[in-house]
Amino acid sequence: MKWHTLAVHAGTEPDPLTGAVMTPVYFTSTYAQEAPGRHKGYEYSRTHNPTRTALEMALAQLESAKYALAFASGLAATDAVLRLLSPGDHVLVSRDLYGGTYRIMRRVFEPWGLQFDFVDTTNVAEVEAAFRPNTRLLWIETPSNPLLHISPIAALADLAHERNAKLVVDNTFATPYLQNPLEMGADIVVHSATKYLGGHSDVVMGAVMLNDEAAYTQLRFLQNAVGAVPGPMDCFLVLRGIKTLPLRMQKHSENAQKIAEFLATHPKVAKVYYPGLLTHPQYLLAKQQMRLPGGMVSFEVKVSSPEDMQPFWKALRIFTLAESLGGVESLINHPALMTHASIPEEERLALGITPGLLRLSVGIEDADDLIEDLRAALLQL
Ligand code: P1T
């Protein structure tokens, strides 16, 4: 099946009871049993819910995975994957990554006994040198949040497997339409479905996709035992969002390319981070492992302190200053003060998350309007 067909039909079968073409939203916490333990496969909605089952089937198909599990948020999905490990295990992680992922690793799992090292995963030699005998996972974000670094999935999967470790890819920025890490050798894919999979900024959800049966069984156990599951309405919303994922990603990417090219020539802009620009250090790798460069653009403006940004924020008419990304509307975020505030300042600055760094989630509006909005706001600096 090709992509647009897959997105429209994945996980969606006409309801056998009524013929309803759209997946019904099963608002029920429990299910009648004919006799104790005799039921139609559903007992209790923390364990299973038919709307969630339909979504999980769709998510698996999108990532060409055998299995998918939906969670209450991207971080709940991350939490479940990290719980596959035991105290004393070591994890290598992309240095540039979502602040909340950094926080759960440093402040929840490190005190619990896991060990983390944050490395430049665009550089295979640096990753190789950081492996320890107890390294169990290599965890990468590609493109990374917020600097859009691209890490080589196939090479890192080979390296992880040589060292008896697994490769986890947070595929949130790329989406399954732009990149399928499992096909490149990764073992586990994690998504914040809050973003492009949902696509409309109206739901918080996470997902895990994988092929390994033993890890799947353990994750299914954790999903039920810990209980961070999404409700049926949220599952319906993400199922609906998925139907337009390829269409949206094409437009997000087309707009982002135009905006990145505009910013690259702007005198107030010191640096642009976008994998679709020839100046991006991993431009060729992005071309090779991604269908399109995606809808996220980061750039650095020439300001000495965040206070100097006030007139810029005030002048914006279309871009909304907000955390999150991946919706149809354009958002702008200040990583140092917002999404990445949980990373200590010294580490942030070393990474390149400076007071002038801005991150755009480019929506599907008309590119000319978006460029005009940025042009007018940049005039204020
Ligand atoms: O917000 P939640 O659904 O729990 O997903 C967490 C998460 C995981 N991975 C990546 C790459 C992410 O970007 C996120 C969430 N990110 C934001 C809210 C943000 O504005 O960057």
XYZ file of all heavy atoms in Angstrom, residues 72-76 78 97-101 141 143-145 170-173 190-195 203-206 296 322-325 333 339-340 359, ligand 1:
297
model
N -0.492 7.615 27.542
C -1.190 8.865 27.853
C -0.423 10.107 27.413
O -1.001 11.180 27.310
C -1.487 8.936 29.354
N 0.871 9.987 27.172
C 1.672 11.114 26.668
C 2.961 10.545 26.087
O 3.276 9.359 26.304
C 2.010 12.095 27.805
O 2.907 11.487 28.716
N 3.711 11.395 25.400
C 5.012 10.963 24.892
C 5.926 10.565 26.042
O 6.673 9.588 25.959
N 5.855 11.324 27.138
C 6.721 10.997 28.274
C 6.289 9.701 28.957
O 7.130 8.976 29.488
C 6.770 12.155 29.271
C 7.686 13.293 28.821
C 7.651 14.449 29.814
C 9.127 12.822 28.639
N 4.993 9.384 28.937
C 4.552 8.092 29.486
C 5.113 6.951 28.631
O 5.489 5.892 29.156
C 3.027 8.033 29.551
N 7.967 7.143 26.939
C 9.395 7.130 27.280
C 9.612 6.406 28.620
O 10.510 5.577 28.756
C 9.894 8.593 27.373
O 9.757 9.158 26.076
C 11.323 8.695 27.826
N 18.210 17.059 22.963
C 16.918 16.375 22.967
C 15.898 17.152 23.789
O 16.260 18.101 24.499
C 17.039 14.917 23.426
C 16.947 14.520 24.895
C 16.737 13.018 24.980
C 18.197 14.893 25.648
N 14.637 16.739 23.677
C 13.550 17.428 24.364
C 13.851 17.542 25.866
O 14.244 16.552 26.497
C 12.235 16.686 24.108
C 11.097 17.215 24.939
C 10.772 18.569 24.922
C 10.356 16.380 25.760
C 9.749 19.072 25.703
C 9.330 16.874 26.549
C 9.034 18.229 26.509
O 8.021 18.726 27.292
N 13.620 18.727 26.435
C 13.937 18.977 27.839
C 13.218 18.030 28.796
O 13.767 17.642 29.828
N 12.014 17.636 28.467
C 11.254 16.726 29.338
C 11.851 15.320 29.342
O 11.789 14.605 30.353
N 12.440 14.922 28.219
C 13.094 13.604 28.148
C 14.357 13.633 29.001
O 14.652 12.703 29.756
C 13.419 13.244 26.674
O 12.224 13.399 25.905
C 13.919 11.825 26.550
N 17.307 11.148 19.282
C 16.256 11.946 18.644
C 16.836 12.393 17.318
O 17.910 13.004 17.295
C 16.001 13.209 19.468
C 14.786 13.151 20.339
C 14.539 14.471 21.076
O 14.868 15.552 20.568
O 14.007 14.398 22.171
N 15.219 14.101 13.550
C 15.911 15.322 13.929
C 15.729 15.609 15.421
O 14.705 15.269 16.004
C 15.227 16.407 13.091
C 14.519 15.696 11.999
C 14.187 14.349 12.510
N 16.726 16.268 16.009
C 16.695 16.496 17.446
C 15.974 17.803 17.773
O 15.858 18.693 16.930
C 18.127 16.535 17.979
O 18.809 17.649 17.440
N 15.538 17.874 19.007
C 14.758 19.002 19.520
C 15.634 19.805 20.479
O 16.018 19.278 21.517
C 13.529 18.419 20.243
C 12.606 19.473 20.802
O 12.852 20.662 20.687
N 11.530 19.017 21.422
N 13.472 8.361 18.998
C 12.315 9.232 19.175
C 12.062 9.883 17.820
O 12.827 10.732 17.367
C 12.604 10.277 20.266
C 11.389 11.157 20.551
O 10.599 11.388 19.605
O 11.234 11.627 21.691
N 10.980 9.432 17.192
C 10.708 9.811 15.793
C 9.663 10.917 15.695
O 9.030 11.102 14.659
C 10.230 8.554 15.045
C 10.485 8.608 13.551
O 11.408 9.275 13.087
N 9.659 7.899 12.783
N 9.473 11.644 16.805
C 8.415 12.659 16.879
C 8.548 13.729 15.795
O 7.570 14.069 15.130
C 8.446 13.340 18.269
O 8.239 12.341 19.259
C 7.401 14.424 18.392
N 9.752 14.289 15.619
C 9.923 15.389 14.664
C 9.757 14.899 13.225
O 9.272 15.632 12.376
C 11.306 16.039 14.825
C 11.354 17.158 15.830
C 10.528 17.162 16.942
C 12.233 18.218 15.672
C 10.572 18.198 17.871
C 12.282 19.270 16.591
C 11.461 19.254 17.689
N 9.786 5.628 19.502
C 8.927 6.342 20.458
C 8.394 7.586 19.767
O 9.116 8.220 18.984
C 9.758 6.741 21.711
C 8.971 7.659 22.613
C 10.191 5.501 22.468
N 7.138 7.922 20.033
C 6.552 9.148 19.482
C 5.820 9.920 20.559
O 5.138 9.324 21.389
C 5.482 8.825 18.424
C 6.010 8.511 17.081
N 6.354 9.476 16.174
C 6.246 7.331 16.483
C 6.783 8.908 15.063
N 6.738 7.600 15.220
N 5.901 11.248 20.489
C 4.896 12.064 21.133
C 3.814 12.243 20.076
O 3.982 13.006 19.124
C 5.463 13.422 21.552
O 4.381 14.247 21.936
N 2.703 11.504 20.233
C 1.599 11.586 19.258
C 0.837 12.896 19.407
O -0.013 13.238 18.574
C 0.659 10.398 19.425
N 1.164 13.633 20.477
C 0.636 14.983 20.698
C 0.936 15.887 19.498
O 0.225 16.859 19.259
C 1.367 15.597 21.930
O 1.403 14.641 22.982
C 0.724 16.876 22.397
N 2.001 15.558 18.774
C 2.533 16.457 17.747
C 1.909 16.147 16.388
O 0.721 16.260 16.234
C 4.057 16.367 17.719
C 4.704 16.322 19.101
C 4.373 17.539 19.950
C 5.145 17.484 21.259
N 4.469 18.073 22.379
N -4.744 17.158 21.577
C -4.643 15.906 22.318
C -3.200 15.707 22.801
O -2.266 16.178 22.146
C -5.122 14.736 21.414
C -4.236 14.538 20.219
C -5.231 13.435 22.157
N -3.044 15.059 23.958
C -1.715 14.678 24.460
C -1.648 13.153 24.452
O -2.525 12.493 25.028
C -1.502 15.226 25.893
C -0.220 14.668 26.511
C -1.441 16.751 25.879
N -0.649 12.601 23.771
C -0.574 11.134 23.681
C 0.825 10.680 23.268
O 1.580 11.452 22.663
C -1.575 10.613 22.645
C -1.809 9.111 22.770
S -2.717 8.443 21.402
C -4.313 9.109 21.700
N 1.172 9.449 23.598
C 2.455 8.890 23.177
C 2.282 7.523 22.562
O 1.209 6.905 22.676
N 10.007 21.585 11.145
C 10.606 22.316 12.271
C 11.833 23.096 11.794
O 12.702 22.554 11.109
C 11.033 21.340 13.369
C 9.892 20.517 13.947
S 8.600 21.515 14.712
C 9.480 22.231 16.091
N 4.091 29.542 21.905
C 3.570 28.411 22.680
C 4.546 27.252 22.614
O 5.281 27.103 21.641
C 2.217 27.955 22.123
N 4.502 26.405 23.661
C 5.238 25.134 23.612
C 4.494 24.217 22.655
O 3.416 24.530 22.180
C 5.271 24.499 25.005
C 5.917 25.417 26.019
C 6.578 24.682 27.177
O 6.601 23.451 27.175
O 7.077 25.374 28.068
N 5.087 23.072 22.417
C 4.546 22.030 21.548
C 4.773 22.348 20.072
O 5.377 23.388 19.712
C 3.076 21.738 21.816
O 2.774 20.423 21.366
N 4.320 21.469 19.223
C 4.616 21.527 17.793
C 3.719 20.530 17.066
O 3.030 19.731 17.687
C 6.090 21.146 17.561
C 6.501 19.772 18.094
C 6.915 18.850 16.959
C 7.663 19.906 19.074
N 8.554 29.089 19.672
C 8.921 28.725 21.037
C 10.313 29.274 21.330
O 11.144 29.366 20.434
C 8.877 27.182 21.104
C 9.675 26.587 22.245
O 9.488 26.948 23.396
N 10.563 25.664 21.923
N 10.595 25.166 26.487
C 10.680 23.693 26.404
C 11.947 23.092 26.980
O 11.969 21.919 27.322
C 10.595 23.247 24.938
O 11.511 24.053 24.175
C 9.200 23.410 24.403
N 13.044 23.870 27.041
C 14.310 23.285 27.482
C 14.821 23.937 28.763
O 16.003 23.842 29.086
C 15.345 23.332 26.342
C 14.981 22.403 25.220
N 13.900 22.621 24.390
C 15.511 21.228 24.820
C 13.792 21.632 23.531
N 14.758 20.774 23.757
N 12.510 28.502 18.045
C 12.135 27.289 17.313
C 10.745 27.465 16.716
O 9.815 27.848 17.433
C 12.139 26.093 18.274
C 11.943 24.762 17.575
C 11.628 23.657 18.561
N 10.285 23.770 19.078
C 9.771 23.008 20.048
N 10.507 22.090 20.630
N 8.519 23.173 20.462
O 4.533 16.150 25.599
P 4.515 14.658 25.461
O 3.411 14.099 24.607
O 4.653 13.946 26.759
O 5.835 14.269 24.602
C 7.139 14.476 25.083
C 8.085 14.635 23.927
C 8.858 13.546 23.534
N 9.718 13.638 22.499
C 9.876 14.788 21.814
C 10.853 14.840 20.686
C 9.115 15.915 22.146
O 9.285 17.032 21.431
C 8.200 15.846 23.236
C 7.393 17.022 23.667
N 7.857 18.248 23.189
C 7.312 19.473 23.442
C 6.230 19.654 24.214
C 7.998 20.619 22.802
O 7.436 21.722 22.706
O 9.138 20.405 22.355
